[in-house]
Amino acid sequence: MIKVRERDEYTFGESAYVPEILKGLGVTLKHLSINLLKPRRDRLTATIRYPEEKREYPQRFRGRHRLTRRSDGSPKCVACCMCATACPAKCIRIAAEEHEDRTIEKRPSSFQIDLFRCIYCGLCVDACPEDAIRMDTGAHPVPMYEREQGVWKMQELLSLEGREQMTE
Amino acid sequence: MDLFNLIAVLVKLAVMFGIALGLAALLTWFERKQSAVIQDRVGPNRANLGRFTFKGLLHIVADTVKLFIKEDFIPRDADRFLHTLAPMFALFAVVSTLAVIPFVSPVAILGREVSGVIAEVNLGILVVFALSSIGIYGAIIGGWASNNKYSLLGGMRAAAQMISYEVTMGAAVIGLIMVYGTLRLDQMAAAQGDIMWGFLPKWGIVTQPLAFVLFFTAAIAESKRTPFDLPEGESEIIGYFVEYSGMKFGMFYLGEFIAIVITSALVTSLFLGGYHIPYLMDDGFRFPLGVDILVHPWAVAALRFASFLGKLVFMCLLQLQLRWTLPRMRYDQVMRLGWKVLLPLSLANIFITGLWLGIK
């Protein structure tokens, strides 16, 4: 069933323009005065002035990846390439080399994550058997001027710190 | 013309140009900031001198520099001569209107009386209409010479709209001419200092309230601003200056903002008592209940100049506020409003004014 709603006719006051214009001026003046005169927290402006102000990320935001270290500071990674295999975006590149310690066997000579390809799914973290890669920095990828800067090298990944552990 | 008059005219020119150009430049910033605040945004705040942004005021400087150093582009098939001529027309027409607007009452300097208007033209208000008709050429030539269908469309709309609203504007002013019995704007402004029935200032808005609404509406339409910004129609056809860049565009833009100032100045001197403050006569305040406060003639002149400036700024701000309040009208609505509503009303206003004057 189709319900047809007849258009309302304009009343004389509405078609006389001037009263309605004054009403409209009242609305804009209200916004103007609230945003000009009230203290900042009471204003209607929702803008976050980005470089100076940043939005608070939620507690459970994981952020960018980092590589964890052993107690001597060397990477925990054993270059097994399980993260690279699990990665649906194929953004992880690992080159392996022999480790002096025979019980560890391998270590990465280079470990790169291409941030332009990464989809931040976290599957690499799930796949890692050594807890060597984590996404717990809470850091947002920073803007960059060169494309090469978008590929994160091992040193940079190792240098990041994890955010404080959330209480379970 | 002797030296004294020459200097007086030059000083008056400097004052008027300073007001118009300074206010127009400020308005470009104010419009952006005001629209932002009305729409719950922040507005321009990035241009800076080191750590100081002055609430975005420096964007005026940044914009001007940008307009001057931008490439001056002329389309291949455009008429180069007319394309260059059009913005000059647009700017010339609005700026020269300043000559007939009174900004202060006559002042005695060195024993000679100096009027508060640049050119004492007997035709006064007619000069305003003649010049604003020339302003139409700026829009239509610019639209035509660009060889672009959108700019041509904008130019045609501008021409049609400005011609139709100029009729109303003229008809609305006739009521005032009848009441004050003069065409000269300075005499009209002077006559508004009188007091009617012992207490009411004889301002144009009091004697001709309907004409005020009609004139103000038509004047906004003349300056091609929202709700009558069809020649521009920024979301559809961009308008007669699509093909303009750099300072040529800047001249159209500046012309538009000076037109706001001119409109405000005209409304002020025709309807809001010009430079007058209620009950302030040439020698001081004379309140209706017999209380008199005498003021030095120089102080009177200063007060009157300040009151003119205040009214001018108020009308400018009102126009900006209206622009951010009202949506654009459709083309046929604009024409219907102009020819079927405003024009008959203005003719009726002339008729009623005539009756009233006849009975008196």
Side-chain angles (χ1 to χ4, degrees):
Chain A
M1 201 177 84
I2 303 168
K3 232 175 139 182
V4 180
R5 189 173 182 280
E6 291 293 322
R7 229 186 223 203
D8 292 335
E9 289 289 315
Y10 285 130
T11 60
F12 177 74
E14 281 165 349
S15 54
Y17 289 108
V18 180
E20 291 296 306
I21 289 174
L22 292 179
K23 218 189 266 179
L25 276 178
V27 173
T28 47
L29 270 177
K30 201 180 100 197
H31 277 253
L32 187 78
S33 49
I34 287 176
N35 289 329
L36 270 187
L37 305 176
K38 291 228 174 164
R40 198 148 164 216
R41 65 192 146 75
D42 294 338
R43 291 180 193 174
L44 302 166
T45 315
T47 313
I48 295 173
R49 305 179 189 199
Y50 170 60
E52 293 94 31
E53 298 170 12
K54 280 174 188 159
R55 185 188 292 275
E56 285 255 331
Y57 281 110
Q59 263 289 303
R60 301 183 62 177
F61 174 70
R62 296 186 298 185
R64 222 164 50 198
H65 337 61
R66 68 176 177 119
L67 290 178
T68 51
R69 299 156 178 263
R70 297 174 197 284
S71 47
D72 64 350
S74 64
K76 257 190 188 172
C77 177
V78 294
C80 66
C81 289
M82 279 172 87
C83 52
T85 312
C87 180
K90 306 239 178 302
C91 67
I92 304 180
R93 247 186 217 181
I94 305 171
E97 65 181 14
E98 197 110 349
H99 202 286
E100 305 95 66
D101 189 341
R102 305 286 298 192
T103 59
I104 300 175
E105 286 188 17
K106 282 202 291 182
R107 68 177 182 196
S109 64
S110 89
F111 192 110
Q112 295 182 346
I113 298 180
D114 187 344
L115 291 184
F116 289 127
R117 304 197 61 164
C118 180
I119 56 170
Y120 299 93
C121 61
L123 286 179
C124 49
V125 181
D126 282 351
C128 186
E130 298 283 330
D131 190 23
I133 184 165
R134 280 194 196 166
M135 287 173 79
D136 62 351
T137 54
H140 198 274
V142 289
M144 57 206 69
Y145 290 103
E146 308 286 336
R147 288 195 81 82
E148 294 90 67
Q149 290 172 315
V151 181
W152 280 68
K153 311 265 170 10
M154 187 158 65
Q155 273 315 309
E156 292 162 313
L157 289 166
L158 281 168
S159 66
L160 292 169
E161 287 297 323
R163 262 211 306 205
E164 270 180 39
Q165 286 293 308
M166 287 168 273
T167 45
E168 294 294 323
Chain B
M1 185 186 280
D2 61 86
L3 192 65
F4 179 82
N5 277 334
L6 189 67
I7 292 173
V9 165
L10 283 179
V11 169
K12 285 189 278 192
L13 267 176
V15 169
M16 239 7 210
F17 261 86
I19 293 174
L21 290 177
L23 205 52
L26 271 178
L27 284 178
T28 61
W29 164 76
F30 198 87
E31 173 155 74
R32 295 173 67 186
K33 204 72 184 173
Q34 186 191 28
S35 67
V37 174
I38 289 175
Q39 297 168 353
D40 302 341
R41 292 184 286 112
V42 175
N45 64 348
R46 291 287 137 177
N48 58 66
L49 275 180
R51 284 175 48 239
F52 302 101
T53 58
F54 304 108
K55 297 267 169 205
L57 208 58
L58 291 168
H59 278 266
I60 298 173
V61 186
D63 286 346
T64 317
V65 171
K66 185 198 79 174
L67 282 176
F68 268 110
I69 60 181
K70 247 181 128 172
E71 183 193 355
D72 178 28
F73 180 76
I74 299 177
R76 195 187 58 204
D77 294 328
D79 185 319
R80 297 183 72 88
F81 176 67
L82 290 180
H83 190 268
T84 313
L85 193 67
M88 299 182 193
F89 262 118
L91 193 59
F92 160 77
V94 285
V95 169
S96 45
T97 312
L98 288 172
V100 291
I101 291 168
F103 56 90
V104 74
S105 56
V107 194
I109 300 172
L110 301 175
R112 295 175 66 166
E113 188 167 87
V114 179
S115 68
V117 57
I118 296 171
E120 292 158 70
V121 192
N122 279 328
L123 293 171
I125 190 75
L126 292 185
V127 173
V128 175
F129 289 125
L131 287 170
S132 75
S133 309
I134 291 178
I136 299 171
Y137 286 102
I140 195 164
I141 290 178
W144 169 258
S146 303
N147 196 29
N148 173 323
K149 51 183 175 252
Y150 293 108
S151 57
L152 180 60
L153 204 54
M156 296 307 288
R157 282 185 181 187
Q161 176 181 320
M162 288 168 89
I163 289 171
S164 6
Y165 277 81
E166 199 146 281
V167 179
T168 305
M169 219 164 133
V173 168
I174 289 180
L176 280 178
I177 297 173
M178 288 159 78
V179 171
Y180 297 114
T182 174
L183 279 172
R184 282 175 57 164
L185 274 165
D186 51 337
Q187 287 179 357
M188 249 188 231
Q192 292 183 56
D194 294 349
I195 303 292
M196 287 195 303
W197 306 322
F199 70 100
L200 205 56
K202 202 180 173 185
W203 286 11
I205 195 171
V206 178
T207 53
Q208 295 277 308
L210 181 59
F212 168 71
V213 175
L214 296 173
F215 184 86
F216 191 42
T217 314
I220 292 176
E222 279 281 298
S223 57
K224 303 188 281 291
R225 286 176 59 80
T226 323
F228 304 104
D229 65 336
L230 290 143
E232 229 177 289
E234 33 201 17
S235 49
E236 311 145 6
I237 61 167
I238 309 168
Y240 52 90
F241 44 63
V242 188
E243 299 289 2
Y244 283 89
S245 62
M247 204 51 212
K248 276 193 212 154
F249 170 75
M251 281 164 84
F252 276 124
Y253 193 64
L254 190 64
E256 187 185 309
F257 277 93
I258 296 180
I260 299 173
V261 180
I262 300 285
T263 304
S264 310
L266 279 178
V267 170
T268 303
S269 39
L270 288 174
F271 294 99
L272 299 183
Y275 44 75
H276 282 293
I277 301 173
Y279 313 124
L280 180 65
M281 300 298 152
D282 283 335
D283 52 355
F285 287 98
R286 295 194 180 280
F287 293 107
L289 294 174
V291 186
D292 291 352
I293 304 168
L294 295 183
V295 182
H296 192 270
W298 279 104
V300 170
L303 275 175
R304 284 181 167 168
F305 184 58
S307 108
F308 176 77
L309 267 188
K311 288 172 191 170
L312 188 63
V313 171
F314 172 77
M315 288 311 292
C316 287
L317 299 191
L318 180 63
Q319 282 185 68
L320 295 195
Q321 189 79 23
L322 276 171
R323 185 224 190 288
W324 294 103
T325 300
L326 302 175
R328 186 188 314 144
M329 290 171 120
R330 219 167 46 216
Y331 191 63
D332 62 311
Q333 291 171 328
V334 168
M335 285 297 143
R336 196 176 63 92
L337 181 69
W339 290 108
K340 289 191 169 173
V341 180
L342 293 186
L343 184 62
L345 277 177
S346 60
L347 293 178
N349 185 52
I350 296 174
F351 182 68
I352 294 166
T353 311
L355 268 184
W356 185 56
L357 288 176
I359 292 166
K360 243 181 31 169

